[in-house]
Amino acid sequence: MRVLVTGASGAIGGDLVPRLVARGHAVRALARTPSRVKAVGLEEVVRGDVVTGEGLAAAVSGADIAYYLVHSMEPAVDGSSPFAERERLGAGNFAAAARRAGVRRVVYLGGPVPQGGGTSAHLASRLAVEQLLLDAAPQAVALRASIVISARSRSFRFLVRLVERVRVMPLPAWRVHRTRPIDGRDVLAFLVAAGESEAVAGALSLDIAGPDLLTYAAMIEHIRDALLLGRPRLDLPFTLTPVAARVAAAIAGEDAELVVPLMEGLGADLLPRDERAAELFGVRLHHFDAAVEHALGVWERDEQLAAR
C-alpha cells in the first residue's frame, strides 16, 4: 500500500517508518524540515506544513493510508496562535486534503480523556483533533495513549532527567492519580495494525494502554529504582502546576511549553475506556518495568545516563 507518515522526524513517526517499509509498503513522509527526517527506506520526503497547508496536496496524493503524528506544543513565535489553535488548524487542513485526495484510511495517535471531567487544554486539544480526523476518511482510526515509554519519548526523557537531577523527589497532589503507561514498541504495533487491519470497517476511536495500572507516584518510583537511585519522595499537599512545571522543566532541561500542558493533564485519572484494542489488533503488551528497562537500554546505546 501507499502510505503517508506525517511527523516522521519525531520519536513515534521516525520509528514507525522502517516498520512500514519492512512490511512492503511504499512510504512517503511530510516534514517542515526534510533534513531532520532520518528514517531509512522512505520513497520521498515532501516539504510541507499542516498549519499553513503547504505541500499537503502533494503529500496525500495517491496515498491509501495517512498517519497523522503531528503535535504543535512548541512555543508560539512572532505572534502566532496558541498550540491548541494551531493543532485544530493543522488537523482541519490535513482532513480536508485527505478527503479531496480520496485517502481511504487515516490513523491518528492522540491522548486519553480524563475520567470525571476536568480535561486540560492539552488533552482537550487532542480530542478536538481526533474529532476532525475521524471525519477525514471512510476508515479513520484514532488511538488514545497515555505516557509512552521509549528512549525518544520526550515525556519519558523528561521524567528520567528530573529523577536523575534532584536529590529529593517532590511529588505534588496529582501523584495519587492513576494511568496505564504504554511501551513504545506496543504503540508502534498498534499503529501498524491500525493501518493494515481488515477489522477496521469504519471510524474507530480506541484507547491503547499497557497492562499495569500505576499512580504517577508509583511510576516515578519505578523509574527511580530502574536508575538505581536512592531518591526519597516528598509528598506535597498542593499542586501549583504552572510554577512547579516550569521549575521541573528547568531542572530537566526541557521546554516549559511542553511540560506545563503535560503536567496540567495529570489532575485526574487517565485510564482506558475499554480493552478492545489489544484483542482487535492482536497486540501483546509489555509490562511497565520491562518497558522502562528497554527504553533506558536503547537510550544508553547513544548516551550514558549519569545515574547508571
Side-chain angles (χ1 to χ4, degrees), residues 188-231:
L188 294 169
F190 276 117
L191 286 169
V192 170
E196 296 180 342
S197 176
E198 295 182 0
V200 179
L204 274 178
S205 175
L206 299 167
D207 290 317
I208 59 174
D212 299 315
L213 176 65
L214 299 168
T215 64
Y216 293 113
M219 185 174 66
I220 292 170
E221 287 182 319
H222 279 249
I223 293 172
R224 175 200 63 190
D225 294 344
L227 289 169
L228 307 179
L229 291 170
R231 302 282 192 256

Short mmCIF file of all heavy atoms in Angstrom, two decimals, residues 188-231:
data_model
loop_
_atom_site.label_atom_id
_atom_site.label_comp_id
_atom_site.label_asym_id
_atom_site.label_seq_id
_atom_site.Cartn_x
_atom_site.Cartn_y
_atom_site.Cartn_z
N LEU A 188 3.84 1.25 18.49
CA LEU A 188 4.16 1.01 17.09
C LEU A 188 3.39 -0.18 16.53
O LEU A 188 2.90 -0.13 15.40
CB LEU A 188 5.66 0.79 16.92
CG LEU A 188 6.53 2.02 17.24
CD1 LEU A 188 8.01 1.61 17.30
CD2 LEU A 188 6.32 3.11 16.20
N ALA A 189 3.25 -1.22 17.33
CA ALA A 189 2.48 -2.39 16.90
C ALA A 189 1.02 -2.01 16.65
O ALA A 189 0.40 -2.44 15.67
CB ALA A 189 2.57 -3.50 17.93
N PHE A 190 0.45 -1.18 17.53
CA PHE A 190 -0.92 -0.72 17.34
C PHE A 190 -1.04 0.14 16.08
O PHE A 190 -2.02 0.03 15.32
CB PHE A 190 -1.38 0.09 18.55
CG PHE A 190 -1.90 -0.75 19.69
CD1 PHE A 190 -1.26 -0.74 20.92
CD2 PHE A 190 -3.04 -1.52 19.54
CE1 PHE A 190 -1.74 -1.50 21.99
CE2 PHE A 190 -3.53 -2.28 20.59
CZ PHE A 190 -2.88 -2.27 21.82
N LEU A 191 -0.08 1.02 15.84
CA LEU A 191 -0.14 1.89 14.68
C LEU A 191 -0.07 1.10 13.38
O LEU A 191 -0.82 1.36 12.43
CB LEU A 191 0.99 2.92 14.73
CG LEU A 191 0.82 4.05 15.76
CD1 LEU A 191 2.11 4.84 15.90
CD2 LEU A 191 -0.32 4.98 15.35
N VAL A 192 0.84 0.13 13.32
CA VAL A 192 0.93 -0.71 12.12
C VAL A 192 -0.38 -1.45 11.89
O VAL A 192 -0.92 -1.47 10.78
CB VAL A 192 2.11 -1.70 12.24
CG1 VAL A 192 2.06 -2.73 11.10
CG2 VAL A 192 3.44 -0.95 12.21
N ALA A 193 -0.91 -2.06 12.96
CA ALA A 193 -2.16 -2.82 12.84
C ALA A 193 -3.33 -1.91 12.47
O ALA A 193 -4.20 -2.30 11.67
CB ALA A 193 -2.45 -3.55 14.15
N ALA A 194 -3.35 -0.70 13.01
CA ALA A 194 -4.45 0.22 12.71
C ALA A 194 -4.47 0.59 11.23
O ALA A 194 -5.53 0.88 10.66
CB ALA A 194 -4.34 1.47 13.56
N GLY A 195 -3.28 0.60 10.61
CA GLY A 195 -3.21 0.91 9.20
C GLY A 195 -3.56 -0.27 8.31
O GLY A 195 -4.09 -0.09 7.21
N GLU A 196 -3.28 -1.48 8.76
CA GLU A 196 -3.41 -2.67 7.92
C GLU A 196 -4.66 -3.51 8.18
O GLU A 196 -5.14 -4.22 7.30
CB GLU A 196 -2.19 -3.58 8.11
CG GLU A 196 -0.87 -2.98 7.67
CD GLU A 196 0.28 -3.93 7.90
OE1 GLU A 196 0.12 -4.89 8.71
OE2 GLU A 196 1.35 -3.72 7.31
N SER A 197 -5.16 -3.48 9.39
CA SER A 197 -6.17 -4.45 9.81
C SER A 197 -7.46 -4.38 9.00
O SER A 197 -8.01 -3.30 8.76
CB SER A 197 -6.50 -4.25 11.29
OG SER A 197 -7.54 -5.12 11.69
N GLU A 198 -7.95 -5.55 8.61
CA GLU A 198 -9.23 -5.63 7.92
C GLU A 198 -10.40 -5.50 8.90
O GLU A 198 -11.56 -5.44 8.48
CB GLU A 198 -9.32 -6.96 7.17
CG GLU A 198 -8.31 -7.09 6.04
CD GLU A 198 -8.43 -8.39 5.28
OE1 GLU A 198 -9.33 -9.19 5.64
OE2 GLU A 198 -7.66 -8.60 4.34
N ALA A 199 -10.10 -5.47 10.19
CA ALA A 199 -11.16 -5.29 11.19
C ALA A 199 -11.69 -3.87 11.21
O ALA A 199 -12.72 -3.60 11.83
CB ALA A 199 -10.62 -5.67 12.58
N VAL A 200 -10.98 -2.95 10.57
CA VAL A 200 -11.42 -1.56 10.51
C VAL A 200 -12.34 -1.39 9.32
O VAL A 200 -11.91 -1.42 8.17
CB VAL A 200 -10.23 -0.60 10.40
CG1 VAL A 200 -10.73 0.85 10.32
CG2 VAL A 200 -9.29 -0.76 11.59
N ALA A 201 -13.62 -1.22 9.58
CA ALA A 201 -14.60 -1.07 8.51
C ALA A 201 -15.18 0.35 8.45
O ALA A 201 -15.79 0.74 7.47
CB ALA A 201 -15.74 -2.07 8.70
N GLY A 202 -14.97 1.11 9.52
CA GLY A 202 -15.47 2.48 9.59
C GLY A 202 -14.66 3.24 10.63
O GLY A 202 -13.60 2.78 11.04
N ALA A 203 -15.15 4.39 11.05
CA ALA A 203 -14.41 5.19 12.03
C ALA A 203 -14.34 4.48 13.38
O ALA A 203 -15.33 3.94 13.86
CB ALA A 203 -15.08 6.55 12.19
N LEU A 204 -13.15 4.50 13.97
CA LEU A 204 -12.91 3.86 15.26
C LEU A 204 -12.12 4.79 16.17
O LEU A 204 -11.15 5.42 15.73
CB LEU A 204 -12.09 2.58 15.08
CG LEU A 204 -12.79 1.26 14.75
CD1 LEU A 204 -11.74 0.17 14.57
CD2 LEU A 204 -13.76 0.88 15.84
N SER A 205 -12.51 4.86 17.43
CA SER A 205 -11.74 5.56 18.45
C SER A 205 -11.43 4.56 19.55
O SER A 205 -12.34 4.01 20.17
CB SER A 205 -12.54 6.74 19.01
OG SER A 205 -11.83 7.35 20.07
N LEU A 206 -10.14 4.28 19.75
CA LEU A 206 -9.72 3.23 20.67
C LEU A 206 -8.66 3.73 21.63
O LEU A 206 -7.75 4.46 21.24
CB LEU A 206 -9.14 2.04 19.88
CG LEU A 206 -10.06 1.34 18.88
CD1 LEU A 206 -9.24 0.43 17.98
CD2 LEU A 206 -11.12 0.53 19.62
N ASP A 207 -8.78 3.34 22.89
CA ASP A 207 -7.71 3.59 23.86
C ASP A 207 -6.70 2.47 23.78
O ASP A 207 -7.07 1.29 23.67
CB ASP A 207 -8.28 3.67 25.28
CG ASP A 207 -9.12 4.92 25.50
OD1 ASP A 207 -8.68 6.00 25.05
OD2 ASP A 207 -10.20 4.82 26.09
N ILE A 208 -5.43 2.82 23.84
CA ILE A 208 -4.37 1.81 23.92
C ILE A 208 -3.60 2.05 25.21
O ILE A 208 -3.28 3.19 25.54
CB ILE A 208 -3.45 1.83 22.68
CG1 ILE A 208 -2.79 3.20 22.49
CG2 ILE A 208 -4.24 1.44 21.44
CD1 ILE A 208 -1.75 3.23 21.36
N ALA A 209 -3.33 0.99 25.94
CA ALA A 209 -2.73 1.14 27.26
C ALA A 209 -1.92 -0.09 27.61
O ALA A 209 -2.19 -1.19 27.13
CB ALA A 209 -3.81 1.36 28.32
N GLY A 210 -0.92 0.11 28.46
CA GLY A 210 -0.16 -1.02 28.96
C GLY A 210 -0.96 -1.81 29.98
O GLY A 210 -2.04 -1.39 30.41
N PRO A 211 -0.43 -2.97 30.41
CA PRO A 211 -1.19 -3.84 31.31
C PRO A 211 -1.14 -3.41 32.78
O PRO A 211 -1.91 -3.93 33.59
CB PRO A 211 -0.51 -5.19 31.13
CG PRO A 211 0.91 -4.85 30.77
CD PRO A 211 0.82 -3.60 29.94
N ASP A 212 -0.26 -2.47 33.13
CA ASP A 212 -0.05 -2.12 34.53
C ASP A 212 -0.72 -0.81 34.90
O ASP A 212 -0.50 0.23 34.26
CB ASP A 212 1.45 -2.03 34.84
CG ASP A 212 2.15 -3.34 34.59
OD1 ASP A 212 1.62 -4.39 35.01
OD2 ASP A 212 3.23 -3.33 33.96
N LEU A 213 -1.53 -0.85 35.95
CA LEU A 213 -2.19 0.34 36.49
C LEU A 213 -1.31 0.93 37.58
O LEU A 213 -1.03 0.27 38.59
CB LEU A 213 -3.56 -0.03 37.06
CG LEU A 213 -4.36 1.08 37.74
CD1 LEU A 213 -4.75 2.16 36.75
CD2 LEU A 213 -5.60 0.49 38.42
N LEU A 214 -0.87 2.18 37.39
CA LEU A 214 0.06 2.81 38.32
C LEU A 214 -0.38 4.22 38.67
O LEU A 214 -0.93 4.94 37.82
CB LEU A 214 1.47 2.90 37.69
CG LEU A 214 2.16 1.61 37.30
CD1 LEU A 214 3.37 1.91 36.44
CD2 LEU A 214 2.57 0.83 38.54
N THR A 215 -0.15 4.63 39.92
CA THR A 215 -0.27 6.04 40.23
C THR A 215 0.96 6.74 39.64
O THR A 215 1.97 6.10 39.34
CB THR A 215 -0.30 6.30 41.74
OG1 THR A 215 0.96 5.89 42.32
CG2 THR A 215 -1.45 5.55 42.40
N TYR A 216 0.86 8.05 39.49
CA TYR A 216 2.02 8.78 38.97
C TYR A 216 3.20 8.66 39.94
O TYR A 216 4.36 8.59 39.52
CB TYR A 216 1.67 10.24 38.72
CG TYR A 216 0.67 10.40 37.61
CD1 TYR A 216 -0.62 10.87 37.85
CD2 TYR A 216 1.00 10.05 36.31
CE1 TYR A 216 -1.54 11.00 36.84
CE2 TYR A 216 0.08 10.17 35.28
CZ TYR A 216 -1.19 10.64 35.55
OH TYR A 216 -2.10 10.75 34.53
N ALA A 217 2.91 8.63 41.24
CA ALA A 217 3.98 8.46 42.23
C ALA A 217 4.68 7.13 42.04
O ALA A 217 5.92 7.04 42.03
CB ALA A 217 3.41 8.57 43.64
N ALA A 218 3.90 6.05 41.87
CA ALA A 218 4.50 4.72 41.68
C ALA A 218 5.30 4.66 40.39
O ALA A 218 6.38 4.05 40.33
CB ALA A 218 3.40 3.66 41.68
N MET A 219 4.80 5.29 39.35
CA MET A 219 5.50 5.30 38.06
C MET A 219 6.87 5.96 38.21
O MET A 219 7.90 5.44 37.74
CB MET A 219 4.67 6.03 37.03
CG MET A 219 5.26 6.01 35.63
SD MET A 219 4.12 6.75 34.43
CE MET A 219 4.12 8.45 35.01
N ILE A 220 6.90 7.10 38.89
CA ILE A 220 8.17 7.81 39.09
C ILE A 220 9.11 7.00 39.97
O ILE A 220 10.33 6.94 39.75
CB ILE A 220 7.89 9.20 39.66
CG1 ILE A 220 7.18 10.06 38.60
CG2 ILE A 220 9.18 9.87 40.13
CD1 ILE A 220 6.63 11.37 39.13
N GLU A 221 8.57 6.32 40.98
CA GLU A 221 9.40 5.49 41.85
C GLU A 221 9.99 4.30 41.08
O GLU A 221 11.15 3.92 41.32
CB GLU A 221 8.59 5.02 43.05
CG GLU A 221 8.31 6.12 44.06
CD GLU A 221 7.54 5.62 45.27
OE1 GLU A 221 6.60 4.82 45.10
OE2 GLU A 221 7.89 6.03 46.39
N HIS A 222 9.23 3.72 40.18
CA HIS A 222 9.75 2.62 39.36
C HIS A 222 10.91 3.11 38.49
O HIS A 222 11.91 2.40 38.32
CB HIS A 222 8.64 2.04 38.48
CG HIS A 222 7.74 1.08 39.18
ND1 HIS A 222 7.73 -0.27 38.91
CD2 HIS A 222 6.81 1.26 40.15
CE1 HIS A 222 6.83 -0.88 39.68
NE2 HIS A 222 6.26 0.04 40.44
N ILE A 223 10.76 4.30 37.93
CA ILE A 223 11.85 4.86 37.12
C ILE A 223 13.06 5.12 37.99
O ILE A 223 14.21 4.82 37.60
CB ILE A 223 11.37 6.15 36.42
CG1 ILE A 223 10.31 5.82 35.37
CG2 ILE A 223 12.55 6.88 35.78
CD1 ILE A 223 9.64 7.03 34.76
N ARG A 224 12.85 5.65 39.17
CA ARG A 224 13.96 5.88 40.12
C ARG A 224 14.69 4.58 40.42
O ARG A 224 15.92 4.52 40.40
CB ARG A 224 13.40 6.47 41.42
CG ARG A 224 14.43 6.63 42.53
CD ARG A 224 13.75 6.74 43.89
NE ARG A 224 13.01 5.52 44.22
CZ ARG A 224 12.17 5.42 45.25
NH1 ARG A 224 11.95 6.48 46.03
NH2 ARG A 224 11.56 4.28 45.50
N ASP A 225 13.94 3.51 40.67
CA ASP A 225 14.57 2.23 41.00
C ASP A 225 15.33 1.66 39.81
O ASP A 225 16.40 1.07 39.97
CB ASP A 225 13.51 1.24 41.48
CG ASP A 225 12.87 1.65 42.80
OD1 ASP A 225 13.44 2.53 43.49
OD2 ASP A 225 11.78 1.13 43.12
N ALA A 226 14.80 1.84 38.60
CA ALA A 226 15.49 1.36 37.40
C ALA A 226 16.79 2.12 37.18
O ALA A 226 17.74 1.58 36.61
CB ALA A 226 14.58 1.50 36.19
N LEU A 227 16.83 3.37 37.65
CA LEU A 227 18.05 4.17 37.53
C LEU A 227 19.03 3.90 38.66
O LEU A 227 20.11 4.50 38.71
CB LEU A 227 17.68 5.67 37.53
CG LEU A 227 16.98 6.18 36.27
CD1 LEU A 227 16.43 7.59 36.50
CD2 LEU A 227 17.91 6.18 35.08
N LEU A 228 18.64 3.01 39.59
CA LEU A 228 19.50 2.63 40.72
C LEU A 228 19.81 3.83 41.61
O LEU A 228 20.94 4.00 42.08
CB LEU A 228 20.80 1.98 40.21
CG LEU A 228 20.63 0.81 39.24
CD1 LEU A 228 21.99 0.29 38.80
CD2 LEU A 228 19.82 -0.31 39.89
N LEU A 229 18.80 4.64 41.86
CA LEU A 229 18.98 5.84 42.66
C LEU A 229 18.21 5.73 43.97
O LEU A 229 17.17 5.08 44.04
CB LEU A 229 18.48 7.07 41.90
CG LEU A 229 19.32 7.49 40.69
CD1 LEU A 229 18.59 8.55 39.89
CD2 LEU A 229 20.68 7.99 41.13
N GLY A 230 18.71 6.40 44.99
CA GLY A 230 18.04 6.42 46.28
C GLY A 230 17.42 7.77 46.55
O GLY A 230 17.84 8.48 47.46
N ARG A 231 16.45 8.13 45.75
CA ARG A 231 15.81 9.44 45.89
C ARG A 231 14.57 9.32 46.77
O ARG A 231 13.56 8.77 46.34
CB ARG A 231 15.40 9.98 44.52
CG ARG A 231 16.55 10.13 43.52
CD ARG A 231 17.37 11.37 43.83
NE ARG A 231 18.28 11.66 42.74
CZ ARG A 231 19.58 11.42 42.75
NH1 ARG A 231 20.12 10.83 43.82
NH2 ARG A 231 20.36 11.75 41.73
#
